[in-house]
Amino acid sequence: MDPLRRSPSPSSSQPSSPRTPSCEMLGYVGIEAVLDQLKIKAMKMGFEFNIMMVGQSGLGKSTMVNTLFKSKVWKSTPPGLGGPMPQTLQLHSVTHVIEENGVKLKLTLTDTPGFGDQINNDKCWDPILGYISEQYERYLQEEILITRKRHIPDTRVHCCVYFVPPTGHCLRPLDIEFLQRLCQTVNVVPVIARADSLTIEERETFRRRIQHNMKTHCIDVYPQQCFDEDISDRILNSKIRERIPFAVVGADREHLVNGRCVLGRKTKWGIIEVENMAHCEFPLLRDLLIRSHFQDLKDITHNVHYENYRVYRLNNSHVLPRGPGWVNLAPTPTSPPATPGPSKVCRRRTRDNSTEEY
């Protein structure tokens, strides 16, 4: 996977609109120094990234997070030592600041212990969807103030990694019901958890069945095809969509293999190297979340999912709580909206810098 996802294509140097003709430059001006300025500013401010891990207990969510960032960002509890199983779904969040080569990342991880662990899992997704909407609401309340903060804290969930149990059959009704709702509010990346429990043939068959289930039930996971901006995006994202859900294995311990230290799980048959594509597809998940689509995940969260929530809430602004610094908005029309929730709108920029919706 090419980490330089947003590298300019040859056509990008052409004028974006016939109404803005190019101007021949007589010498060096220094416009390219803007990139250095942006880099310096970004290095000072750092970055924020919020990930939610959803799946049943025992699928290795905590270990996968530690593997992704190669640090003990989440402490897992050994089986049998965590006390009684929670009777209801409980969301736990933890925030860390990670620094690599001078780049600071404020990472917020949200775990969902208790999801799908009960006998009756009816509407067990409500606390998760409510938490996602609550973070949108917090951002909206800060955004509509007359005197806003210079930097609004971003607690919105940028990506939800959904762990599918390695049953080898297909998606469960619980998975289908939840994913249909979840994909409308957040970027969802499904993965096959503990993929080392399946053979290569079983893994591929399971992947094809899941892809068929998602297509049949209109589950549009990330990266969505309607958000591909150009041909390079379309080519790269098409390759990713062919491999989703990724078959992953997590490990936070190093082992010596052929004279080198590798992250992996030791079994009586050998060592499963998590960064070896011949063993699992963890590198594809890591590259998607961090190395190639990090900023795109945040952009789609802000420009699509949060925008849909913001439009829906402002259309019903007469019921918003009036806090300090409240902006008095125009009353909403008497006719209610056609749909009770935010609709998913795909926006694409045309060559004349206008936007079209479909």
Side-chain angles (χ1 to χ4, degrees), residues 163-191:
F163 288 72
V164 179
T167 61
H169 301 294
C170 58
L171 289 177
R172 303 167 300 171
L174 171 63
D175 300 324
I176 295 174
E177 287 284 341
F178 183 39
L179 287 174
Q180 285 178 329
R181 292 168 170 79
L182 192 64
C183 289
Q184 298 180 6
T185 58
V186 71
N187 300 313
V188 180
V189 178
V191 298

Side-chain angles (χ1 to χ4, degrees), residues 6-300:
R6 297 297 180 185
S7 57
S9 59
S11 60
S12 62
S13 60
Q14 301 297 325
S16 58
S17 172
R19 289 173 292 184
T20 55
S22 60
C23 180
E24 182 179 358
M25 300 177 63
L26 303 179
Y28 178 76
V29 176
I31 300 176
E32 62 181 15
V34 173
L35 298 177
D36 296 329
Q37 299 173 35
L38 293 175
K39 180 180 178 180
I40 293 173
K41 184 176 181 180
M43 293 280 284
K44 290 181 179 179
M45 295 185 59
F47 299 90
E48 296 173 322
F49 196 53
N50 308 317
I51 304 180
M52 174 179 284
M53 300 287 178
V54 178
Q56 285 181 312
S57 301
L59 293 181
K61 301 187 296 294
S62 303
T63 305
M64 180 57 61
V65 170
N66 295 336
T67 310
L68 276 171
F69 298 97
K70 292 187 176 181
S71 57
K72 296 288 185 178
V73 294
W74 194 278
K75 295 182 180 180
S76 58
T77 303
L81 300 179
M85 181 180 297
Q87 297 300 316
T88 58
L89 176 62
Q90 301 174 359
L91 276 69
H92 296 161
S93 295
V94 61
T95 301
H96 292 278
V97 176
I98 303 176
E99 184 171 355
E100 182 183 43
N101 296 330
V103 180
K104 294 182 179 180
L105 173 65
K106 183 181 179 182
L107 177 67
T108 299
L109 305 169
T110 303
D111 192 12
T112 57
F115 173 79
D117 293 338
Q118 311 303 322
I119 297 178
N120 183 8
N121 292 309
D122 184 34
K123 296 183 179 180
C124 63
W125 49 75
D126 283 350
I128 298 176
L129 298 177
Y131 175 85
I132 296 173
S133 297
E134 180 184 348
Q135 308 316 308
Y136 289 151
E137 184 69 21
R138 286 185 180 181
Y139 196 91
L140 176 63
Q141 290 296 329
E142 292 288 343
E143 194 177 49
I144 63 177
L145 294 178
I146 295 178
T147 304
R148 296 188 294 183
K149 297 179 181 178
R150 185 174 182 180
H151 173 71
I152 300 178
D154 190 2
T155 61
R156 299 170 296 181
V157 179
H158 300 128
C159 180
C160 176
V161 181
Y162 189 84
F163 288 72
V164 179
T167 61
H169 301 294
C170 58
L171 289 177
R172 303 167 300 171
L174 171 63
D175 300 324
I176 295 174
E177 287 284 341
F178 183 39
L179 287 174
Q180 285 178 329
R181 292 168 170 79
L182 192 64
C183 289
Q184 298 180 6
T185 58
V186 71
N187 300 313
V188 180
V189 178
V191 298
I192 301 174
R194 296 193 178 277
D196 53 326
S197 62
L198 302 173
T199 65
I200 300 298
E201 294 77 13
E202 292 172 340
R203 187 187 302 174
E204 293 302 319
T205 302
F206 191 30
R207 189 202 316 275
R208 288 194 296 268
R209 289 175 179 173
I210 293 176
Q211 290 175 345
H212 176 72
N213 291 151
M214 293 191 298
K215 183 177 181 181
T216 302
H217 296 279
C218 301
I219 299 174
D220 195 12
V221 298
Y222 182 86
Q224 299 89 338
Q225 187 173 359
C226 61
F227 298 146
D228 295 342
E229 296 181 355
D230 50 38
I231 186 62
S232 61
D233 284 352
R234 194 174 301 114
I235 294 174
L236 175 60
N237 292 338
S238 295
K239 295 179 180 178
I240 296 175
R241 285 187 282 265
E242 291 175 359
R243 305 305 302 172
I244 283 181
F246 301 130
V248 298
V249 178
D252 50 9
R253 294 184 180 180
E254 290 187 339
H255 301 276
L256 193 63
V257 178
N258 298 327
R260 59 189 180 92
C261 290
V262 297
L263 280 173
R265 292 185 58 219
K266 188 176 182 179
T267 67
K268 60 182 180 180
W269 299 280
I271 296 178
I272 304 171
E273 303 177 31
V274 299
E275 294 183 302
N276 188 339
M277 282 293 296
H279 295 183
C280 72
E281 296 171 340
F282 168 78
L284 297 180
L285 176 65
R286 176 198 58 200
D287 291 350
L288 176 69
L289 297 181
I290 303 174
R291 301 187 179 182
S292 64
H293 290 65
F294 175 90
Q295 188 60 43
D296 190 61
L297 285 164
K298 299 183 65 175
D299 290 343
I300 291 183

